[in-house]
């Protein structure tokens, strides 16, 4: 039976870089919230042990695709610990709405949804902690999607404290460029020494993103998008970009601004949610059992 699972977008409502580890990874303080908007995965269990991606992405070999890597990783861990029924496999298809290199966590969210959904469908019963730890090896943002609650994140993004920021409406705009995460993190001019603050202090301060200055400087499309949005509402970069977002108290206020957007600026309006659509789906499945 084909099953359908959401892979929501995230926003970094703020993002500060507090240092760099010896392995090159940056230590962050960031606030993740989900959107009720994202990709949709269709998963049908197979009984011959095969993992098949029915919707390959141009230019990305299946073996590198995070969806396939997540499925294989779960299969391996569950098999090693005697929690995989013989022949467990899956056909997986994706309706992709989230842009790559957009700062919305699309690839990480797809991987997290595969881990959570297959753990459920294959009845492996891995704990959420174990799924989050597996997910971290696929990407720094995967654990928050696995856990499914808005969170204040530290470390490289994996030390998570659940929080409940206001669930605002957002206009998310794509400036038409894709920014690979390492391009921003490798930039010599990136601010890397923002002092650490407590979550209480951070929530009281105006929100910002340390990557924004670099994304604006290196990508004129990002600069143009932010300059346009800032005329209407408080607006920022999400993650390492390229998407930017403006916050509003109502859906209609967000839609009014989107309607006026110039042709070169594509966007969508979505609600910020503290319980991810994936967590809501899995809770619904548990009730059905
Ligand atoms: O999110 P992901 O783990 O895919 O990150 C891609 C790249 O971005 C890493 O290989 C690293 O160079 C950089 N990065 C970083 N600090 C982080 C997260 C990512 O330097 N906290």
């Amino acid at each position: 039976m084909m099953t359908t699972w959401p892979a929501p977008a995230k926003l970094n409502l703020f993002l500060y870089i507090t240092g760099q580890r010896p392995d090159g990874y940056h230590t962050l303080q960031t606030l993740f919230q989900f959107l009720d908007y994202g990709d949709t995965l269709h998963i049908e269990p197979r009984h011959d042990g095969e993992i098949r991606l029915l919707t390959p992405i141009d230019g990305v070999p299946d073996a590198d695709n995070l969806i396939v890597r997540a499925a294989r990783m779960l299969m391996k861990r569950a098999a090693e610990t005697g929690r995989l029924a013989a022949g467990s496999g899956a056909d997986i298809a994706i309706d992709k709405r989230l842009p790559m290199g957009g700062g919305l966590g699309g690839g990480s969210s797809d991987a997290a949804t595969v881990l959570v959904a297959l753990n459920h469908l294959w009845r492996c019963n891995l704990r959420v902690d174990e799924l989050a730890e597996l997910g971290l090896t696929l990407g720094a943002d995967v654990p928050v999607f696995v856990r499914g609650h808005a969170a204040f994140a530290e470390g490289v993004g994996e030390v998570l404290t659940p929080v409940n920021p206001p669930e605002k409406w957002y206009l998310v705009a794509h400036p038409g460029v894709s920014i690979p995460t390492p391009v921003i993190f490798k930039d010599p001019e990136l601010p890397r020494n923002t002092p650490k603050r407590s979550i209480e202090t951070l929530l009281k301060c105006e929100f910002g993103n340390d990557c924004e200055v670099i994304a604006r400087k290196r990508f004129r499309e990002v600069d143009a998008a932010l300059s346009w949005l800032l005329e209407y509402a408080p607006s920022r970069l999400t993650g390492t970009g390229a998407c930017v977002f403006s916050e509003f108290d109502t859906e209609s206020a967000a839609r009014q601004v989107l309607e006026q957007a110039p042709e070169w600026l594509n966007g969508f309006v979505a609600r910020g949610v503290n319980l991810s659509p994936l967590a809501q789906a899995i809770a619904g499945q548990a009730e059905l059992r």
Side-chain angles (χ1 to χ4, degrees), residues 149-188:
H149 201 287
F152 173 56
E154 298 185 284
V156 297
E158 86 294 11
V159 182
L160 298 167
T161 307
V163 286
N164 287 298
E167 296 183 322
K168 300 246 181 193
W169 286 90
Y170 298 102
L171 161 53
V172 180
H174 193 306
V177 284
S178 165
I179 306 184
T181 308
V183 166
I184 299 293
F185 279 125
K186 286 200 178 112
D187 198 294

Coordinates of all heavy atoms in Angstrom, one line a residue, residues 149-188:
H149 N 10.1 19.0 16.6 CA 9.6 20.1 17.4 C 10.5 21.3 17.2 O 11.7 21.2 17.1 CB 9.5 19.8 18.9 CG 8.6 20.7 19.6 ND1 8.9 22.0 19.9 CD2 7.3 20.5 20.0 CE1 7.9 22.6 20.5 NE2 6.9 21.7 20.6
A150 N 9.9 22.5 17.0 CA 10.7 23.8 16.9 C 11.8 23.8 18.0 O 11.5 23.3 19.2 CB 9.8 25.0 17.0
A151 N 13.0 24.2 17.7 CA 14.0 24.1 18.7 C 15.1 25.2 18.6 O 15.3 25.7 17.5 CB 14.7 22.7 18.5
F152 N 15.7 25.4 19.7 CA 16.9 26.2 19.8 C 18.0 25.3 19.6 O 18.1 24.2 20.3 CB 16.9 26.9 21.2 CG 18.2 27.7 21.4 CD1 18.7 28.6 20.6 CD2 19.0 27.4 22.6 CE1 19.9 29.3 20.8 CE2 20.1 28.0 22.9 CZ 20.6 29.0 22.0
A153 N 18.9 25.5 18.7 CA 20.0 24.6 18.4 C 21.3 25.2 18.7 O 21.6 26.3 18.4 CB 19.9 24.1 17.0
E154 N 22.2 24.4 19.3 CA 23.6 24.8 19.5 C 24.5 23.6 18.9 O 24.0 22.7 18.2 CB 23.9 25.0 21.0 CG 23.0 26.2 21.5 CD 23.4 26.5 22.9 OE1 22.9 25.8 23.8 OE2 24.1 27.5 23.1
G155 N 25.8 23.6 19.3 CA 26.7 22.7 18.6 C 26.8 23.0 17.2 O 26.8 24.2 16.8
V156 N 26.8 22.0 16.3 CA 26.7 22.3 14.9 C 25.3 22.3 14.4 O 25.0 22.3 13.2 CB 27.6 21.4 14.0 CG1 29.1 21.5 14.4 CG2 27.1 19.9 14.1
G157 N 24.4 22.3 15.3 CA 22.9 22.3 15.0 C 22.2 21.1 15.5 O 21.0 20.9 15.3
E158 N 23.0 20.3 16.3 CA 22.4 19.0 16.8 C 22.0 19.0 18.2 O 21.4 18.1 18.7 CB 23.3 17.9 16.4 CG 24.4 17.5 17.4 CD 25.5 18.6 17.5 OE1 25.3 19.7 17.1 OE2 26.5 18.3 18.2
V159 N 22.5 20.0 19.0 CA 22.1 20.0 20.4 C 20.9 20.9 20.6 O 20.9 22.1 20.5 CB 23.3 20.7 21.3 CG1 22.9 20.7 22.7 CG2 24.6 20.0 21.0
L160 N 19.7 20.1 20.7 CA 18.4 20.8 20.5 C 17.7 21.0 21.8 O 17.6 20.0 22.7 CB 17.6 19.9 19.6 CG 18.2 19.7 18.2 CD1 17.5 18.6 17.4 CD2 18.1 21.1 17.4
T161 N 17.1 22.2 22.0 CA 16.2 22.4 23.1 C 14.9 22.8 22.5 O 14.8 23.8 21.8 CB 16.7 23.6 24.0 OG1 18.1 23.3 24.4 CG2 15.9 23.8 25.2
P162 N 13.8 22.0 22.8 CA 12.5 22.4 22.2 C 12.0 23.7 22.7 O 12.2 24.0 23.9 CB 11.6 21.3 22.7 CG 12.5 20.2 23.2 CD 13.7 20.8 23.6
V163 N 11.5 24.6 21.9 CA 10.9 25.9 22.3 C 9.6 26.1 21.5 O 9.3 25.4 20.5 CB 11.9 27.0 22.0 CG1 13.1 27.0 22.9 CG2 12.4 27.0 20.5
N164 N 8.9 27.1 21.9 CA 7.6 27.4 21.2 C 7.6 28.9 20.8 O 6.8 29.7 21.4 CB 6.5 27.1 22.2 CG 6.3 25.6 22.3 OD1 6.0 24.9 21.3 ND2 6.4 25.1 23.5
P165 N 8.3 29.3 19.8 CA 8.2 30.7 19.3 C 6.8 30.9 18.7 O 6.1 30.0 18.4 CB 9.3 30.8 18.2 CG 9.6 29.4 17.8 CD 9.3 28.5 19.0
P166 N 6.4 32.2 18.6 CA 5.1 32.5 18.0 C 5.0 31.9 16.6 O 6.0 31.9 15.9 CB 5.1 34.1 18.0 CG 6.2 34.5 18.9 CD 7.2 33.4 19.0
E167 N 3.8 31.4 16.3 CA 3.6 30.8 15.0 C 3.1 31.8 14.0 O 1.9 31.9 13.8 CB 2.7 29.6 15.1 CG 3.3 28.5 16.0 CD 2.4 27.2 16.1 OE1 1.2 27.4 16.2 OE2 3.0 26.1 16.1
K168 N 4.0 32.6 13.4 CA 3.7 33.7 12.5 C 3.4 33.2 11.1 O 3.7 32.0 10.8 CB 4.8 34.7 12.5 CG 5.2 35.3 13.8 CD 4.9 36.7 13.8 CE 5.3 37.4 15.1 NZ 4.8 38.7 15.2
W169 N 3.0 34.1 10.3 CA 2.9 33.8 8.8 C 4.1 34.3 8.1 O 4.6 35.4 8.5 CB 1.6 34.4 8.2 CG 0.4 33.7 8.7 CD1 -0.4 33.9 9.8 CD2 -0.2 32.6 8.0 NE1 -1.4 33.0 9.8 CE2 -1.3 32.2 8.7 CE3 0.1 31.9 6.8 CZ2 -2.1 31.1 8.4 CZ3 -0.7 30.8 6.4 CH2 -1.8 30.4 7.2
Y170 N 4.6 33.6 7.2 CA 5.8 34.0 6.5 C 5.6 34.1 5.0 O 4.9 33.2 4.4 CB 6.9 33.0 6.8 CG 7.3 33.0 8.2 CD1 6.9 31.9 9.0 CD2 8.1 34.0 8.8 CE1 7.2 31.9 10.4 CE2 8.4 34.0 10.2 CZ 7.9 32.9 10.9 OH 8.2 32.9 12.3
L171 N 6.2 35.1 4.4 CA 6.3 35.1 2.9 C 7.8 34.7 2.7 O 8.7 35.3 3.2 CB 6.1 36.6 2.4 CG 6.6 36.9 1.0 CD1 6.2 35.9 0.0 CD2 6.2 38.3 0.6
V172 N 7.9 33.6 2.0 CA 9.3 33.0 1.7 C 9.6 33.3 0.3 O 8.8 32.9 -0.6 CB 9.4 31.5 2.0 CG1 10.8 31.0 1.7 CG2 9.0 31.2 3.5
A173 N 10.7 34.0 0.0 CA 11.0 34.4 -1.4 C 12.2 33.7 -1.9 O 13.2 33.6 -1.1 CB 11.1 35.9 -1.5
H174 N 12.2 33.2 -3.1 CA 13.4 32.6 -3.7 C 14.0 33.5 -4.7 O 13.3 33.8 -5.7 CB 13.0 31.2 -4.4 CG 14.2 30.4 -4.7 ND1 15.2 30.9 -5.5 CD2 14.5 29.1 -4.4 CE1 16.1 29.9 -5.6 NE2 15.7 28.9 -4.9
P175 N 15.2 34.0 -4.5 CA 15.8 35.0 -5.4 C 16.2 34.4 -6.7 O 16.8 35.1 -7.5 CB 17.0 35.6 -4.6 CG 16.9 34.9 -3.3 CD 16.1 33.7 -3.3
G176 N 16.1 33.1 -6.9 CA 16.4 32.5 -8.2 C 17.9 32.0 -8.3 O 18.3 31.6 -9.4
V177 N 18.6 32.0 -7.2 CA 19.9 31.4 -7.2 C 19.9 30.3 -6.2 O 19.2 30.3 -5.2 CB 21.1 32.4 -6.9 CG1 21.4 33.3 -8.0 CG2 20.7 33.2 -5.6
S178 N 20.9 29.4 -6.4 CA 21.1 28.3 -5.4 C 22.4 28.5 -4.7 O 23.4 28.8 -5.4 CB 21.1 27.0 -6.2 OG 21.5 26.0 -5.4
I179 N 22.4 28.5 -3.4 CA 23.7 28.7 -2.7 C 24.1 27.4 -2.0 O 23.5 27.0 -1.0 CB 23.6 29.9 -1.6 CG1 23.0 31.1 -2.3 CG2 24.9 30.1 -1.0 CD1 23.0 32.4 -1.4
P180 N 25.1 26.7 -2.4 CA 25.6 25.6 -1.7 C 26.1 26.0 -0.3 O 26.9 27.0 -0.2 CB 26.8 25.0 -2.6 CG 26.6 25.7 -3.9 CD 26.0 27.0 -3.6
T181 N 25.7 25.3 0.7 CA 26.1 25.6 2.1 C 27.6 25.9 2.3 O 27.9 26.9 2.9 CB 25.6 24.5 3.1 OG1 24.3 24.3 2.8 CG2 25.8 24.9 4.5
P182 N 28.5 25.1 1.7 CA 29.9 25.3 2.0 C 30.4 26.7 1.4 O 31.4 27.2 1.9 CB 30.6 24.1 1.3 CG 29.5 23.1 1.1 CD 28.2 23.8 1.0
V183 N 29.7 27.2 0.4 CA 30.2 28.5 -0.2 C 30.2 29.6 0.9 O 31.1 30.4 1.0 CB 29.3 28.8 -1.4 CG1 29.5 30.3 -1.8 CG2 29.6 27.9 -2.6
I184 N 29.1 29.6 1.7 CA 29.0 30.6 2.7 C 30.0 30.2 3.9 O 30.7 31.1 4.4 CB 27.5 30.7 3.3 CG1 26.6 31.0 2.1 CG2 27.4 31.6 4.5 CD1 26.7 32.4 1.6
F185 N 30.0 29.0 4.3 CA 30.8 28.6 5.5 C 32.3 28.7 5.2 O 33.1 28.8 6.1 CB 30.4 27.2 6.0 CG 29.2 27.2 6.9 CD1 28.1 26.4 6.6 CD2 29.2 28.0 8.0 CE1 27.0 26.4 7.4 CE2 28.0 28.0 8.8 CZ 27.0 27.2 8.5
K186 N 32.7 28.7 3.9 CA 34.1 28.8 3.6 C 34.6 30.2 3.4 O 35.8 30.5 3.3 CB 34.4 28.0 2.3 CG 34.4 26.5 2.6 CD 35.2 25.8 1.5 CE 35.3 24.3 1.7 NZ 34.5 23.5 0.8
D187 N 33.6 31.2 3.4 CA 34.0 32.6 3.0 C 34.8 33.2 4.2 O 34.4 33.2 5.3 CB 32.7 33.4 2.8 CG 33.0 34.6 2.1 OD1 33.7 35.5 2.6 OD2 32.5 34.8 0.9
P188 N 36.0 33.7 3.8 CA 36.9 34.3 4.8 C 36.3 35.5 5.6 O 36.6 35.7 6.7 CB 38.1 34.7 4.0 CG 37.9 34.4 2.6 CD 36.6 33.8 2.4

